[in-house]
Amino acid sequence: MNLMRLLRGDTDAPEWYDFPGGVHPPENKTQSLRGPIAEFPLQEEYVVPLNQHIGAVSVPVVEVGESVLTGQVIAEAAGFISAPAHAPTSGTVTAIEDRPVPHPSGLTTGCIIIRADGHDTWRPRTPWAHLQDHHHTDLLARIQNAGLTGLGGASFPTAVKLAADRNHVDTLIVNGTECEPYITADHALMRERPQQILRGIEVAHELYDFRRILIGVEDNKPDAVSALRRALTAIPAELEARIELRVFPTRYPSGGEKQLVYLLTGQEVPAGGLPTDLGMLCHNVGTLAALADAVFDDRPLISRITTLTGNQLPWQGNIEVRLGTDIRTILDWAGYQPDPNRAERIIMGGPMMGFALDQRQLPLVKATNCLLVPTEQELPTPPPAKPCIRCGQCEQVCPAGLLPQQLMWFAQSHEWDKAESHHLFDCIECGACAYVCPSHIPLVQYYRFAKGSIRREQAEHRQSERARLRFEARQARLEREAAEKEARRRQRAEAARARQAEQATTPTADSSPADPVAAAVARSKARKQASQSAAGRATATVSPGAPELTREQLSARLDSQRRRLEKAEAKLAAAAPEHQKAMETTVSKLREQIHKTEQQLADRPEREA
Amino acid sequence: MLTPSSPHAVGNQSVQQVMFSVWAATLPGFAALIWFFGWGYLINAVLAVATALVAEAIILRLRRRPVWFFLGDGSALLTAWLLALALPPLAPWWIPVIGTLAAIVFAKHLYGGLGNNPFNPAMVGYAVLLISFPVEMTTRWGIPAALATEAHSLLDSARVIFAGLRVDPALVDGMTMATPLDVYKNDIATLDAAELRAEPLFSAGWRVYGWEWVSGLYLLGGLYLLWRRIITWHIPVAVLGSLTLLALLFSWNPDLRVPVDLHLLGGATMLGAFFIATDPVSAATSNRGKLVFGAGIGILIYVIRTWGNYPDAVAFAVLLMNFAAPLIDHYTRPRVYGEGRS
Ligand code: SF4
Ligand code: SF4
C-alpha cells in the first residue's frame, strides 16, 4: 500500500502498489540512448545454437552443404517446450557441430554454422493484413513456427506461454520496465517502434480477448512513455479502451515478473506458481514487437535489439543485429580495444543479473539483450569479502521478502533443508542483497551454489530411485526367466523319460547298423541330445547362481548322458580312423559329465526324491 | 576472468563506512558530554580506543588473521567508543582499559570475532565493570559544569583519572552519582515531585543542565543514521515506544515514580535506543523481530530501573535481549512473496 496516497485521501485503486525492498543502483542508461537503433551490418558467417531457449534442444533439419534462405527453418522444436531456429540470412550450411555459446559456465552446444551468400534472400513470405481473416489454430501455428522466445532475458518459448488456458486468462501485463541498469534495448524499442509493440498486443488480444491490458514502464523513460501514448491514439478504440499505461518510480528490480505483477495489480503470484494462476499473462515489450513481426510480416525471430554499453566501448548504443553474429565482431565494430593491463570483463546482460563471458568468440543469441564492457572505474572489482556483520541491509532490500543473511549461513553450512524451508527457491537472484552488503559478500553466488547442490541431490535421488526400480524390474525378469527355464527343463526331463521307456520296449531299434535310416535317426537324436546336454551343462556349471536341479531332473539327466555315452562308445568302435580322435574327446567329455551328475545326485538330500 | 558471478555492481557501502557513520553520529552527543561534564569523557575515549586497537591487533595476530584488513573495518574502534560514552568520566584509568579488554577479548574474539558475537561487546564490557567495580562505576560522575563551583580543565580531569583515589569533591558529582534518574528514584521516597524539581539539579532546566542536551543530540545522531539507512526505525521506535508506554502506565504519579521525561532524557536511553540496541550483530534481524527485540529492551529498561537495583538499566536490558535474539529470529521470519497465496 502506498502511504502517501492514503495520506492524501486518495482511495481510488492506485496506479501502482509498492513492493518491498529494492535498490537504486546508478542507472547508466543515457550513454546508450544518444542515437537511434543502428542496423548491424551483415556478416559472412553465422553460428546458430540449437538451445537458445529454455526447454528441449531443437533438432537440425538441414544438412551440411545445403543452401538456406533467410528466415528458413533450420532446426525444429523438439517437443512442446522448445522452439525452432531460423537461418539469419541466406547462404550455405557449412557445419553442424559443437561450439561454445554464451553461458555462465562456458558451455559448448550443437550449432548450425551458415556461410552467408551476401544476398540475404528471403524465403517466400505470406504477410497477413488482418488477424480476423485467419483461424486461431493457424495463428498459433504461425507463432509456434516463428521461434519466438521471451526477449527480456529469460528466453522462455513464447508459443508455450500463449498456449495458456484461454478461459482462465483475462489480463495482459506488458513489461516495459527494463529496470536493470545500463540496458536500454526495450527503452529504444518503445521510443522508436511503439506501434509495433501495440500490434503485438493486438495479436495476443486476438487470442485471449483480455479484460485489461496493463503496460508498466518505469518513470525514468519519459520519452518512451510519450511515444507509447502517441501510438495508443492510433489503435482501434475497442482495444485502446482496455489498455492502461502505468508509470511508476524507478526501482530495481521492478521488472521482475513477480514484482511487476504486484506493482500493477497488488496481487502476488503464489509461491511456486505462475502469473497465469492469477489469470495474467506477462510479456516483455520486445517479445510483443517480435510477435507482431512474426504474425503480420511472416518474419520469424532472426534478429533482436541489443544494447552495447560500458565505457570501454567507444561506440555505445542499440543495434538491431541478426542472431548468430559473432560477439567479437560486434565489439570490434563498436571500437573495443582490450585493456592489456587487466583481465577482460564482458558481461552479457546487465550489471545486476548478467554473467561474464569467458571469451569473445561466441554467437549472439536470442537472450542477448545487452553486451556490457565496463571499465574498472565504472564497475570496480568488489573488495574481498568481510564477515557478515548481520546488519540486515540485505533483508531490507530483498524484493522476495527472504532473509538473505540466513540463506547465506545455511548455504555455507550446507544445511539444504533449512535453506529450502527459508524459501531459497523463491530467490529470483536479483542481486539486490549482494549489492547493498557492506561486507561485500557474494551472496547470490552462495544461493546459486545451494540451489545447484540441492537440484543435483534431487536429481541423484531421482536417479537412484530410477536405478532401484530398474534393478527390481531386472530381478523380477530374472526370476520369471528362471521359472520358465525350469518349466522347460521339466518338460525335457519328462520327454526323456518317455523316450527311455520307449527304448526299453524296443532295445535294438537304434543300435542296428544294418538299417541306415534308423542309424541316421539315431545320429540326429544323438546330436540333439548332445546340444541339450551342452545347454544343461551351461546352466549347471557356468551359472552357479541358477536354481538347482531336483533329484528327479538329475537322474533324468544321468540317464540321457549314459545313453549317449553308450552310443558314442559304439560309434568310436566303428569310427573311421580320421574321426577316431574327435570321438575319443566326446567320449571322455561325456564320462566327465556323467561323473559330475552322479556326484550332484549323491550330494542331493534324499528327502527330495 | 573477474567476478564471473552477478551482481557485477556493488553498492558503495562498506563495513568501514557503516562503523564510521555510527561513530560520527555520536559526535554531537559526545561534544555535549564534554561540554557539560568535563574532559574525562575524552580521556576515557582515548584510553578505550587505544586499548581496543592494541588488543584487536594482538588477537588477530594470534588468530592468524590479516591484521590490517580487519583492524581497518573500525568495528573495534566503535565498540570501545560506545563503551567510553557509557563510563563515568572521572573513573580511574584502568576502568576503560579493563572494560575494553573484556569487550574485545571476551565478548568479541572468544566468540569468533566480527559478526559472531552473540552479545553486544560494549555492553558486556560495561556489565563486567559494573559488577566488578561498583564503587568506581557509580561515584565518579562529573558534576555538571553549570553547577560546579569552579571550571575544571583537561588537566584537572587527567589528574583525577590517573593520580588515583584522591578525588576532588569539587569535580566529582557525588550528589547525582550516576544519573538524575537515580537521584529522583532515591529522593522521591522523602520528597514530593514539586520539591524535587526545585532542586538545582532539575530546576536549572534545558539551558544549563546537560542530560537533556546529550540525549537530544544522541537523538539527532540517531535520526541521521536512519536517514542514511544505516539503521532502521524498528528498534529505536520499539525501545522508546515501549518505555514511554510503561512509564505513562506506571509512572503517571510523579510523586511516586520517576516520570516519563526523565526516563527518556535523563539516562542512557537515547544512546541505548539508537546506538547500542541497534548493534546489528547481536540484535534480531527481521523487521518484526527488531520490533520485538526493541520492545523487550524498552520493557526491561523500565522494569529494572523501577523495581531493580541498578540505576541505569540499558546495558542489562540489551544483554538480556541479546540472549533472546536467536529465538526471536526464529519466530519472526518475514512472509515471503507469494507465500500462503497458493
Ligand atoms: S548485508 Fe551482508 S553483512 Fe549485512 S546482514 Fe546481509 S550478508 Fe550480513
Ligand atoms: S538475490 Fe535473492 S535473496 Fe538476494 S535480494 Fe534478490 S531475491 Fe532476495
Side-chain angles (χ1 to χ4, degrees):
Chain A
M1 279 301 288
N2 193 321
L3 192 63
M4 286 315 290
R5 225 176 355 244
L6 271 183
L7 291 178
R8 282 203 310 268
D10 184 354
T11 48
D12 287 346
E15 274 271 292
W16 48 273
Y17 296 80
D18 204 4
F19 71 93
V23 288
H24 295 93
E27 289 172 22
N28 281 307
K29 298 215 181 216
T30 49
Q31 55 264 54
S32 55
L33 283 169
R34 288 194 202 105
I37 301 168
E39 186 79 29
F40 194 76
L42 280 181
Q43 296 302 304
E44 283 177 4
E45 192 184 80
Y46 289 89
V47 176
V48 184
L50 297 170
N51 69 342
Q52 296 185 63
H53 48 264
I54 288 177
V57 175
S58 35
V59 187
V61 291
V62 289
E63 272 163 24
V64 175
E66 200 173 322
S67 326
V68 291
L69 297 171
T70 310
Q72 179 184 333
V73 174
I74 52 175
E76 270 174 358
F80 181 55
I81 301 187
S82 185
H86 301 78
T89 189
S90 58
T92 317
V93 176
T94 53
I96 300 176
E97 63 190 24
D98 279 5
R99 290 276 181 103
V101 293
H103 189 271
S105 50
L107 209 68
T108 63
T109 195
C111 295
I112 298 176
I113 291 104
I114 292 172
R115 175 147 291 277
D117 59 15
H119 303 304
D120 197 23
T121 322
W122 269 90
R123 64 159 163 76
R125 283 192 282 175
T126 51
W128 287 1
H130 302 290
L131 294 175
Q132 290 73 22
D133 303 344
H134 304 275
H135 237 273
H136 276 187
T137 37
D138 293 342
L139 176 54
L140 272 176
R142 203 162 160 108
I143 295 169
Q144 238 147 28
N145 293 335
L148 298 175
T149 63
L151 293 183
S155 288
F156 191 77
T158 306
V160 179
K161 259 194 185 178
L162 286 176
D165 182 9
R166 275 166 192 56
N167 302 321
H168 187 55
V169 170
D170 66 352
T171 303
L172 174 66
I173 302 232
V174 181
N175 192 344
T177 338
E178 203 165 50
C179 58
E180 175 119 3
Y182 281 100
I183 310 177
T184 56
D186 288 347
H187 188 162
L189 176 79
M190 289 187 277
R191 198 167 69 168
E192 292 179 37
R193 305 174 192 168
Q195 67 290 344
Q196 204 61 3
I197 298 167
L198 296 183
R199 299 222 302 161
I201 292 177
E202 201 187 323
V203 174
H205 184 56
E206 173 64 28
L207 283 172
Y208 283 93
D209 192 20
F210 296 113
R211 190 167 55 79
R212 54 179 183 166
I213 296 164
L214 307 173
I215 308 179
V217 188
E218 281 188 335
D219 64 0
N220 61 353
K221 307 174 182 61
D223 47 351
V225 171
S226 53
L228 280 168
R229 283 245 155 77
R230 260 197 312 280
L232 275 171
T233 58
I235 63 169
E238 186 273 332
L239 182 58
E240 206 248 286
R242 303 182 191 213
I243 296 182
E244 278 177 62
L245 179 56
R246 298 245 183 107
V247 183
F248 41 81
T250 302
R251 177 162 34 130
Y252 180 84
S254 59
E257 194 169 73
K258 292 177 166 185
Q259 280 63 44
L260 186 62
V261 164
Y262 186 76
L263 256 168
L264 293 179
T265 67
Q267 285 178 276
E268 289 182 18
V269 180
L274 291 171
T276 43
D277 298 340
L278 301 172
M280 300 176 194
L281 217 53
C282 270
H283 282 289
N284 162 275
V285 286
T287 316
L288 287 167
L291 183 64
D293 285 338
V295 170
F296 290 106
D297 305 336
D298 195 11
R299 187 180 191 281
L301 186 64
I302 57 163
S303 69
R304 67 158 297 146
I305 301 174
T306 298
T307 307
L308 302 183
T309 187
N311 286 340
Q312 225 169 305
L313 295 183
W315 189 91
Q316 299 183 37
N318 283 289
I319 52 170
E320 167 109 42
V321 56
R322 301 281 167 106
L323 303 173
T325 307
D326 189 3
I327 286 174
R328 188 184 44 179
T329 358
I330 300 175
L331 295 177
D332 288 349
W333 180 86
Y336 172 58
Q337 295 282 344
D339 181 349
N341 297 321
R342 59 183 277 265
E344 188 167 76
R345 183 155 58 145
I346 298 161
I347 297 163
M348 177 170 136
M352 300 298 286
M353 292 184 78
F355 57 90
L357 300 178
D358 55 356
Q359 57 170 322
R360 263 180 289 155
Q361 199 174 351
L362 297 167
L364 183 130
V365 293
K366 292 176 183 175
T368 314
N369 52 0
C370 179
L371 291 171
L372 167 61
V373 195
T375 58
E376 177 65 27
Q377 293 90 290
E378 255 185 307
L379 288 184
T381 320
K386 284 204 159 79
C388 167
I389 56 167
R390 300 181 19 102
C391 65
Q393 305 270 2
C394 47
E395 187 197 330
Q396 298 299 323
V397 300
C398 177
L402 305 175
L403 293 170
Q405 182 206 145
Q406 273 75 354
L407 288 177
M408 175 207 47
W409 295 121
F410 297 143
Q412 260 180 358
S413 54
H414 294 209
E415 291 173 272
W416 306 141
D417 45 337
K418 279 200 186 146
E420 272 189 278
S421 73
H422 279 69
H423 306 275
L424 173 68
F425 283 94
D426 285 318
C427 165
I428 58 170
E429 299 186 16
C430 67
C433 51
Y435 179 79
V436 295
C437 176
S439 289
H440 305 297
I441 300 171
L443 294 164
V444 182
Q445 231 160 295
Y446 280 110
Y447 309 148
R448 285 210 192 97
F449 167 68
K451 285 182 188 173
S453 308
I454 293 173
R455 288 209 186 98
R456 213 168 21 252
E457 259 173 36
Q458 282 169 347
E460 270 162 24
H461 181 71
R462 268 199 304 276
Q463 219 161 31
S464 67
E465 192 65 9
R466 243 183 320 214
R468 189 178 64 80
L469 290 178
R470 256 205 314 270
F471 175 74
E472 282 172 3
R474 180 170 172 272
Q475 216 47 18
R477 180 172 52 85
L478 286 180
E479 274 163 30
R480 201 184 56 236
E481 281 175 3
E484 282 168 5
K485 225 178 236 167
E486 189 176 324
R488 274 202 304 275
R489 228 174 264 129
R490 197 164 300 180
Q491 265 176 4
R492 278 201 306 273
E494 255 145 43
R497 247 202 312 280
R499 266 197 310 277
Q500 207 179 5
E502 203 182 316
Q503 240 172 38
T505 53
T506 54
T508 55
D510 59 356
S511 55
S512 158
D515 183 354
V517 177
V521 169
R523 265 200 303 281
S524 96
K525 231 185 219 168
R527 262 201 304 280
K528 213 188 274 165
Q529 277 166 346
S531 80
Q532 268 177 9
S533 100
R537 195 169 60 235
T539 43
T541 57
V542 173
S543 57
E548 286 183 336
L549 301 172
T550 60
R551 275 186 73 88
E552 200 183 26
Q553 288 168 326
L554 280 173
S555 48
R557 176 190 284 178
L558 197 59
D559 287 343
S560 87
Q561 283 169 341
R562 284 204 180 116
R563 248 180 296 124
R564 274 184 295 137
L565 182 62
E566 274 169 28
K567 274 186 224 153
E569 277 169 340
K571 265 189 209 148
L572 176 60
E578 65 269 28
H579 292 143
Q580 207 150 1
K581 192 98 196 228
M583 287 315 295
E584 262 167 17
T585 24
T586 311
V587 167
S588 70
K589 265 189 194 147
L590 278 168
R591 282 208 181 104
E592 256 174 54
Q593 283 173 16
I594 289 169
H595 182 65
K596 220 175 262 162
T597 315
E598 276 167 342
Q599 262 181 354
Q600 279 177 343
L601 200 55
D603 289 342
R604 193 53 44 92
E606 276 301 323
R607 62 177 165 77
E608 264 187 44
Chain B
M1 273 287 157
L2 290 163
T3 55
S5 182
S6 65
H8 306 277
V10 289
N12 46 15
Q13 237 183 32
S14 64
V15 176
Q16 195 175 8
Q17 270 172 351
V18 170
M19 300 292 170
F20 181 80
S21 304
V22 177
W23 175 78
T26 64
L27 286 182
F30 180 69
L33 280 177
I34 294 178
W35 174 265
F36 289 107
F37 303 104
W39 293 102
Y41 279 102
L42 182 65
I43 297 173
N44 275 352
V46 171
L47 283 170
V49 167
T51 311
L53 294 183
V54 172
E56 176 101 347
I58 291 174
I59 291 185
L60 286 172
R61 196 57 183 274
L62 290 176
R63 292 181 64 204
R64 295 175 210 284
R65 299 290 153 92
V67 172
W68 288 113
F69 181 68
F70 282 107
L71 209 55
D73 66 30
S75 60
L77 186 148
L78 185 65
T79 298
W81 185 265
L82 291 175
L83 174 64
L85 293 186
L87 294 178
L90 296 177
W93 61 269
W94 42 266
I95 284 282
V97 171
I98 292 178
T100 310
L101 284 176
I104 299 291
V105 179
F106 292 103
K108 184 177 174 185
H109 279 288
L110 288 191
Y111 282 102
L114 179 63
N116 294 314
N117 44 297
F119 300 106
N120 184 316
M123 289 303 101
V124 170
Y126 183 87
V128 165
L129 290 174
L130 192 59
I131 293 167
S132 318
F133 312 104
V135 177
E136 283 79 2
M137 286 294 283
T138 49
T139 61
R140 298 299 191 103
W141 296 87
I143 192 164
L147 301 180
T149 40
E150 53 199 271
H152 42 275
S153 65
L154 177 60
L155 211 64
D156 292 331
S157 301
R159 261 210 302 271
V160 176
I161 290 173
F162 293 104
L165 296 170
R166 259 178 20 88
V167 177
D168 183 346
L171 296 181
V172 174
D173 190 0
M175 189 179 65
T176 66
M177 287 167 66
T179 62
L181 270 179
D182 214 29
V183 178
Y184 201 105
K185 186 182 165 189
N186 287 333
D187 292 1
I188 199 69
T190 48
L191 302 171
D192 66 22
E195 287 168 332
L196 245 181
R197 291 281 188 181
E199 298 250 325
L201 176 65
F202 297 103
S203 63
W206 278 92
R207 275 167 300 114
V208 286
Y209 188 63
W211 282 108
E212 283 94 339
W213 274 104
V214 173
S215 290
L217 290 169
Y218 281 146
L219 174 64
L220 202 70
L223 293 178
Y224 166 75
L225 291 182
L226 276 178
W227 173 70
R228 285 280 319 274
R229 290 172 190 253
I230 285 173
I231 59 174
T232 65
W233 56 270
H234 305 83
I235 291 180
V237 165
V239 172
L240 300 178
S242 61
L243 180 59
T244 307
L245 201 72
L246 283 185
L248 289 177
L249 269 178
F250 295 101
S251 304
W252 54 272
N253 184 357
D255 291 337
L256 286 177
R257 296 211 173 105
V258 182
V260 64
D261 64 315
L262 278 183
H263 271 296
L264 292 179
L265 300 174
T269 309
M270 289 296 166
L271 180 69
F274 287 98
F275 296 95
I276 308 279
T278 53
D279 162 45
V281 177
S282 50
T285 49
S286 71
N287 288 344
R288 272 196 305 147
K290 285 180 193 162
L291 286 175
V292 175
F293 179 82
I297 291 177
I299 292 169
L300 285 172
I301 289 178
Y302 186 82
V303 168
I304 299 175
R305 277 181 184 173
T306 309
W307 294 290
N309 264 333
Y310 285 100
D312 203 341
V314 172
F316 291 106
V318 168
L319 289 175
L320 283 172
M321 288 314 287
N322 287 163
F323 264 117
L327 205 69
I328 295 173
D329 276 342
H330 183 79
Y331 286 108
T332 56
R333 272 153 47 182
R335 195 185 70 83
V336 172
Y337 179 106
E339 190 184 4
R341 300 277 164 116
S342 46

